[in-house]
Amino acid sequence: MAGRGGATGGYTDGHRHTRAGESSAVLTERAPAKVNLFLAVGSRRSDGYHDLLTLFETVPLYDEVRVTIRPGAGPGWVFRASATAPSIAPRLTLPTGLDNLAGRAAERFVAAMLETASFSGPPATIEVSITKRIPVAAGLGGGSSDAAAVFRALQGYYGNPLGKEALAGVAAGLGADVAFFLHTGRAVGRSRGEKIEPVPAGPPLPLVLGLPAFALRTPDVYRRLDLLRPTGPGAGLPGWERPERDLAVLLRSLSSGRLSGVAAQLRNDLQEAALSLRPELAEALKALRRSGCLAALVSGSGPSIFGLAPTLEQARETARVVSGRLPAGLGGELEFVPLLSRPDPLAALGELH
Ligand code: C5P
């Protein structure tokens, strides 16, 4: 029997449960990717993170996250996680168990639930298995989105034991991007990126995503940025004094659908650092621009890239021709996908059920 699982579009193939946490269930959630349309990076803080002002945009490229819950199956709470590699993937071993962010999400969720709710059910074995389509370590937020999908599934199964704030706190503790994926759509992120303010959806954007077969580790990219930046007393951060104003201009262009205005305001302060680690990406950005995109940018810490096209038709055409315009050596390393960013994919999913 299929019924609605989480609050945001999951579905359940399992036994209906009468009391939260007492019968087995298999819940499936779709976990979308994101790109950053704007990413201003401030100074390194004492906790090692950097202050950010960013604009997240959800894109319809999904991992499938399956959460199986078997109450009373183990000696106590047991958490397992595994993932299958996406079709385009760097040669990385995908982490399993509590090394996988989604496995850790299950563990942290249960710890918070046991602390804050009057939960009286039996301990369960919780198994997360992920079919990856979002490239890993690519700047598309796949791991963070998988973790948020686990939260949605467990909130649905256990009857929303965590309030909004408690859940946002657990999400922020897991990683800077996880809180965004509890909202999805289009949202501004501040502080480490975990303070989220949803933005009303304007028209969706025609994009060409460049999915990489190689990885960049986020901490390496931030470290490179610190090295590239001017140091010493009085050495300001270029552009950091007015990112709020620039973001406001971008948001106005987005809500009116003026794509030339959007193109002019796209920004990623991590791009220079990502390009200095993978210089050939600069050629790929040029190829996107030469193939009809109004602008092209690295997404987050990279190495995935995206181009903003004037129309979806043009995005399709660009995706078709751009590979032929890449320098030799980059050819098989990037796969281009045309799509319309879908600012509220989970709400849209809900309509399907
Ligand atoms: O929180 P998350 O695990 O996604 O962050 C990975 C790494 O990226 C951090 O350990 C840090 O080195 C860097 N980072 C940062 N500032 C942010 C977000 C991430 O320096 N706002």
Side-chain angles (χ1 to χ4, degrees), residues 41-45 47-52 191-193 222-223 225-226 229:
V41 182
S43 312
R44 190 171 183 277
R45 316 184 323 184
D47 63 2
Y49 277 90
H50 293 70
D51 275 318
L52 301 183
S191 186
R192 289 186 296 134
Y222 275 96
R223 210 168 302 123
L225 176 74
D226 290 337
R229 279 183 154 169

Side-chain angles (χ1 to χ4, degrees), residues 66-71 73 76-81 102-103 106-107 109-110 113 123-129 150 154 157-158:
R66 236 171 124 83
V67 182
T68 305
I69 306 163
R70 286 192 214 91
W77 290 95
V78 178
F79 303 97
R80 296 200 189 105
E107 186 199 33
F109 182 95
V110 167
M113 176 173 79
T125 294
I126 300 181
E127 214 166 296
V128 180
S129 79
V150 169
L154 295 180
Y157 175 78
Y158 285 108

Side-chain angles (χ1 to χ4, degrees), residues 43-257:
S43 312
R44 190 171 183 277
R45 316 184 323 184
S46 54
D47 63 2
Y49 277 90
H50 293 70
D51 275 318
L52 301 183
L53 179 63
T54 188
L55 182 64
F56 295 105
E57 176 87 348
T58 311
V59 291
L61 172 70
Y62 300 97
D63 286 346
E64 188 178 285
V65 179
R66 236 171 124 83
V67 182
T68 305
I69 306 163
R70 286 192 214 91
W77 290 95
V78 178
F79 303 97
R80 296 200 189 105
S82 61
T84 59
S87 60
I88 185 143
R91 277 179 289 280
L92 289 177
T93 315
L94 290 172
T96 56
L98 294 179
D99 290 333
N100 188 300
L101 202 62
R104 252 178 358 257
E107 186 199 33
R108 300 265 182 105
F109 182 95
V110 167
M113 176 173 79
L114 295 177
E115 237 171 62
T116 60
S118 50
F119 175 78
S120 58
T125 294
I126 300 181
E127 214 166 296
V128 180
S129 79
I130 307 165
T131 306
K132 296 287 301 173
R133 296 200 187 86
I134 306 171
V136 291
L140 294 169
S144 302
S145 187
D146 296 342
V150 169
F151 289 149
R152 284 197 296 278
L154 295 180
Q155 277 281 72
Y157 175 78
Y158 285 108
N160 296 310
L162 300 187
K164 234 175 146 182
E165 261 181 44
L167 188 60
V170 178
L174 266 188
D177 287 350
V178 183
F180 164 68
F181 287 106
L182 294 174
H183 293 263
T184 71
R186 180 179 289 163
V188 174
R190 291 191 173 78
S191 186
R192 289 186 296 134
E194 86 286 10
K195 293 205 180 338
I196 297 297
E197 187 188 323
V199 172
L205 302 174
L207 301 176
V208 184
L209 273 190
L211 306 176
F214 51 93
L216 276 179
R217 290 185 61 251
T218 304
D220 295 347
V221 181
Y222 275 96
R223 210 168 302 123
R224 179 59 65 102
L225 176 74
D226 290 337
L227 290 173
L228 290 171
R229 279 183 154 169
T231 53
L237 296 177
W240 180 247
E241 62 288 350
R242 53 183 177 81
E244 289 279 358
R245 206 178 70 193
D246 292 345
L247 178 60
V249 176
L250 172 60
L251 289 173
R252 277 199 295 279
S253 298
L254 281 166
S255 68
S256 67

